[in-house]
Amino acid sequence: MSKGIFITATGTDIGKTFVTGLVVKKLRDAGLNAGYYKAALSGAELQPDGSWLPGDAAYVAKTAGIPEQPENLVSYIYKEAVSPHLAALREGNPVDLDKVAADFQAACAKYAYVTVEGSGGIICPIRWDEQKILLEDIIKKLGLGTLVVSNAALGSINACVLTVYYLQQHGIPVRGIILNNYDGSDFMQADNKKMMEAITGVPVLAEVKANDKELDIDVQLLQSLYE
């Protein structure tokens, strides 16, 4: 039976896709049948042939060695680099939760471990017309626990704690925190890690330095986060 986890972040441009690539790579390098899925991607990249490439999916597929075309890993691909709800209002093709669930189940049929990447931060509007869908609705629809990617720099305690608190208050399990752009020689970042754990009660499972090629986490621990 396939297992999954949802990766969200404390905001946009925190490095969620970079970390997601390392997570999936860690599993696949250990010989595990691991895949990737993303419900909605905004800001697709125009290719010379006129097609639109979902960059996040392409990056993860390349990093982790997933033998699939990137467009097959994403349900909704929008051209404009704005929130999915706004992109859909401008471009059409709004997100349907039933399609997301069906596409996720299709990924589960192919992979034993499916890592689902979110869009932006946790309070990201996915659809906002006659239907109102937030990112949390996708997580609940798929029945997944979460990993929170946080920056390690100044101001990250507040952003991380608020994200974890929001998830917990909305009944979404938080399996752990991964710090990105971490500098082990920086006393402030070391304290940020300590304070995030102390305030949230959620462990920091890994610290990712700039340009890391591997995720420094025990693969069995990583496996245990999926359910």
Side-chain angles (χ1 to χ4, degrees):
M1 184 176 180
S2 185
K3 300 179 179 183
I5 199 162
F6 194 100
I7 298 186
T8 188
T10 56
T12 302
D13 294 331
I14 299 298
K16 180 173 70 272
T17 300
F18 176 66
V19 171
T20 298
L22 294 180
V23 167
V24 183
K25 181 179 186 296
K26 185 77 175 186
L27 295 172
R28 291 185 63 85
D29 284 352
L32 299 169
N33 182 23
Y36 167 90
Y37 171 69
K38 185 167 181 134
L41 180 146
S42 302
E45 303 166 13
L46 180 61
Q47 301 302 292
D49 64 0
S51 63
W52 291 88
L53 178 73
D56 291 357
Y59 177 84
V60 174
K62 181 178 180 180
T63 298
I66 301 174
E68 290 213 44
Q69 294 299 311
E71 57 269 23
N72 295 334
L73 304 172
V74 185
S75 292
Y76 294 89
I77 300 171
Y78 302 111
K79 300 172 186 177
E80 294 193 73
V82 295
S83 177
H85 82 285
L86 182 56
L89 287 172
R90 291 171 60 83
E91 301 175 27
N93 196 27
V95 169
D96 179 84
L97 283 179
D98 288 337
K99 174 175 172 53
V100 169
D103 289 351
F104 172 69
Q105 288 304 320
C108 289
K110 291 188 286 185
Y111 299 102
Y113 296 87
V114 180
T115 303
V116 183
E117 183 186 0
S119 305
I122 186 57
I123 307 178
C124 180
I126 301 298
R127 177 172 178 171
W128 211 259
D129 46 25
E130 68 277 3
Q131 291 189 47
K132 307 292 188 289
I133 300 174
L134 295 172
L135 187 62
E136 67 183 81
D137 298 312
I138 291 178
I139 301 174
K140 291 176 180 177
K141 181 75 172 179
L142 303 183
L144 298 176
T146 58
L147 280 174
V148 173
V149 178
S150 172
N151 207 323
L154 182 66
S156 58
I157 296 173
N158 180 71
C160 181
V161 171
L162 287 176
T163 297
V164 171
Y165 181 78
Y166 184 92
L167 287 162
Q168 292 173 333
Q169 288 298 302
H170 288 78
I172 299 171
V174 182
R175 306 293 180 210
I177 299 163
I178 295 180
L179 290 182
N180 193 29
N181 297 313
Y182 187 77
D183 181 353
S185 67
D186 188 321
F187 72 92
M188 180 196 68
Q189 292 192 14
D191 185 71
N192 285 349
K193 173 187 173 182
K194 181 182 75 173
M195 293 308 297
M196 288 174 187
E197 292 183 320
I199 297 171
T200 66
V202 175
V204 173
L205 300 175
E207 302 93 26
V208 177
K209 300 178 179 64
N211 301 314
D212 267 356
K213 303 299 183 184
E214 303 288 340
L215 186 67
D216 186 14
I217 187 173
D218 180 80
V219 71
Q220 292 183 328
L221 172 60
L222 183 59
Q223 281 181 265
S224 73
L225 306 176
Y226 289 72
E227 60 174 40

